[in-house]
Amino acid sequence: MNLLSPALLALTLFSAGALAVNNPYQLTPEADVATLHQQTLPDFWRQHAVESAFKGKDGITIRYAALRQAKVDRAILIVNGRVESYLKYQELAWDLWRQGYSLYLIDHRGQGLSDRLLADQEKGYVDQFDDYVLDLKQFHDEVIAQDQPAKLFLLAHSMGGAISARYLERWPDDIEAAVLSSPMMGINLGGLPKWLAKGLAATIGTVGGWLGEPPYGPGQGPYESHDFADNGLSHSEARYQAFRELYEQRPQIKLGGATAHWIYQGLTGADAAVAEAGAIKTPLLLLQAGDDGVVDNAAQDAFCALARCEGGKPLRIEGAWHELFMEADPQRQAALNATLAFFARY
């Protein structure tokens, strides 16, 4: 029996340029997004989400949400990206919940609902990239493992993909199978050589730190809300507007640009994720957005060459921008069809 057939058929048709979208898992269509956010999700979240916190490294409060099925059997750990919060993933949680999965979502230190690390709370900052990884391990050990799910899967996006790769390199047996969506194995530097970007970030971060609070990196600044026409993250206006409205309703989750120190740590963490990818034993699928302008797709290719990704390379979704799980229906359904079929094999 070929468990992948429905999803791979849908993805093959999409990649070949077919207009029809196969939706075997009955995922939410764009036409229903506005109603979902206004009517269904508030009740769903109130009924099923238990929001709590633990103290991570250096006593930082790390916020999380757990949505447990009546029997916690198959569960997914969702690891979000930079500037995000688990609150942004409520549509995804709804779609995955209806497939029978329990869900665990975390807000990284310095963003979302977790403790911010600087007086200026809109500055993106982390002391060491590895702090994110240690928080994730603590979340696993102290929260998720206590529920004893029979099988735990991992679904990560962007920066969360780099964090998760570092996790899997150290604790490969914690996770049954993992899917990394648009993972930050490198940052799109717009043609600037990486060695130069790292050097500039290190220098600005060090010198700026002598003068006071860590400064923003070049071109970075406080939170800005971009119009849909200027976004470059998703082709779905309904989904893009929904998450922008969420940030206005819950302004405490807003985060601005990255500090120079974060840029250095981010590049260093991504480099380490690629360099040690061969240590990963966990079955792994990497979803690559074909037109990603945020992360470096070539670095994803290099990662898969070492990490033994499913198919030996990233599964490329043509025409997609960075936010695969908030994309227009053809791209989003292709990404989730492949994800759910991959998990079903394990």
Side-chain angles (χ1 to χ4, degrees), residues 47 60 112 134 144 168 181 233 238 295 330:
Q47 183 178 355
I60 299 300
L134 295 178
I144 303 172
L168 295 172
S181 165
L233 298 174
V295 297

Side-chain angles (χ1 to χ4, degrees), residues 73-145:
D73 183 16
R74 294 169 68 84
I76 299 175
L77 166 57
I78 298 176
V79 189
N80 60 38
R82 201 190 85 78
V83 312
E84 295 188 322
S85 167
Y86 61 70
L87 293 173
K88 180 181 172 183
Y89 282 77
Q90 291 177 70
E91 181 190 357
L92 178 64
W94 165 255
D95 279 335
L96 296 176
W97 174 269
R98 291 187 297 148
Q99 310 304 318
Y101 290 96
S102 294
L103 305 167
Y104 299 88
L105 305 93
I106 185 172
D107 273 1
H108 303 297
R109 61 178 53 223
Q111 66 182 56
L113 297 172
S114 292
D115 279 353
R116 302 299 169 99
L117 306 177
L118 300 176
D120 184 343
Q121 299 198 357
E122 288 198 3
K123 286 183 175 179
Y125 179 83
V126 71
D127 182 30
Q128 301 291 322
F129 192 84
D130 196 53
D131 294 348
Y132 294 135
V133 186
L134 295 178
D135 289 339
L136 194 61
K137 177 59 173 172
Q138 188 175 345
F139 183 41
H140 171 273
D141 291 354
E142 295 185 7
V143 179
I144 303 172

